[in-house]
Structure formats: structure tokens, C-alpha cells
Amino acid sequence: MSQANLEIVKTGLQAFLENDFEGWFATMNPACKVYPRPEEPGVKKCYEGWDEMLEYLVNWYSGWKEYTGEPVRFIDSGDWVVVEINEVGIADSGMRIEQRFAHAIKVEDGKGTEWRMYGPVEEAMEALGLSEDGAPADS
């Protein structure tokens, strides 16, 4: 099951990074929940369902003239797949920002049901109770 979840996330994320939102949504459950980093300006704590996910994405992209992301590594943790992404954006002000962020996607029954965003990978792993190799931290 874990390898299948990894492939679902890779497929969905590739679509997302290519601005193929139809492909992205095809890998996500219609009732999925999105939890952005609380440091992001103007975000709610949680977005539920495709309509609210789209609301979040419109808000996110509205702050960038250009935005790209490149996966650095995938950590397969069973139901959770943690992806470290090198993100590069040029803000409306012209400032270029490059930073790595972790995105965690929970997959159940072949679809993403949660998308959680974090700073460094270590932050994601700790929040999810996982060790650096993806196994539960208490094992």
C-alpha cells in the first residue's frame, strides 16, 4: 500500500507543479483537508473540500509573479508521504525568494485526504510523529 501511496503523491504533485490542477484534483479526495503553514498571510487554519482548496490556491498564487517548485526528496511513511520541495517565487514586489518546505499528504483509499504544509522536513516529521526514515517515531 505504501508504494502505491507514494506513486499517487508523485503523480499528483507533478501535475500540481505543472499547473495541471485537474490532474492534481484527480488524486485528491473531494472532502480533503488542507492545512497551510500558520505563518502564511491571509490563510485559514483549515480548508475543506475542493472548493476551499481552490480558494487557498488562488490566494497563494495571487501573491506571486512567478512561482515554481522542484521536489528534492520523498519520504514514504505508509499513509503519509512527506515531500521536501525547493520552492522559488518572485513576489509582486519583485523580491525573489527560494526556500525548502515540507508538504505532507495523507493517502487513504487511493486519494489524498489531508495536505499539511510545514517549514523544514524535521518539523513535518516531528508533527506527524515520524522518525527521519519515515517510520513511527516510537518504534
Side-chain angles (χ1 to χ4, degrees), residues 2-126:
S2 187
Q3 182 63 34
N5 291 350
L6 183 63
E7 291 306 316
I8 289 164
V9 171
K10 283 183 175 181
T11 298
L13 185 62
Q14 187 63 39
F16 179 85
L17 294 173
E18 292 174 356
N19 296 321
D20 172 9
F21 296 111
E22 186 176 321
W24 167 250
F25 280 99
T27 65
M28 301 299 285
N29 183 297
C32 63
K33 294 182 180 180
V34 179
Y35 297 91
R37 295 179 67 232
E39 299 86 355
E40 285 184 38
V43 297
K44 298 189 298 190
K45 182 178 179 178
C46 178
Y47 295 81
E48 295 188 47
W50 284 353
D51 287 343
E52 288 192 11
M53 182 191 299
L54 186 58
E55 174 190 331
Y56 167 74
L57 292 172
V58 167
N59 180 58
W60 172 254
Y61 280 105
S62 70
W64 302 104
K65 284 183 181 176
E66 294 178 31
Y67 172 82
T68 61
E70 182 70 35
V72 176
R73 67 176 164 153
F74 291 83
I75 302 169
D76 182 356
S77 304
D79 288 346
W80 287 99
V81 176
V82 178
V83 187
E84 183 178 25
I85 302 176
N86 189 53
E87 299 181 39
V88 180
I90 298 177
D92 287 336
S93 66
M95 182 187 316
R96 183 180 187 276
I97 300 168
E98 181 172 356
Q99 191 169 351
R100 287 190 179 181
F101 292 98
H103 296 254
I105 299 171
K106 186 174 190 178
V107 180
E108 297 173 295
D109 298 323
K111 298 281 186 177
T113 58
E114 288 185 43
W115 174 18
R116 294 182 178 264
M117 295 164 224
Y118 300 96
V121 167
E122 297 77 19
E123 179 185 326
M125 303 306 276
E126 182 178 324

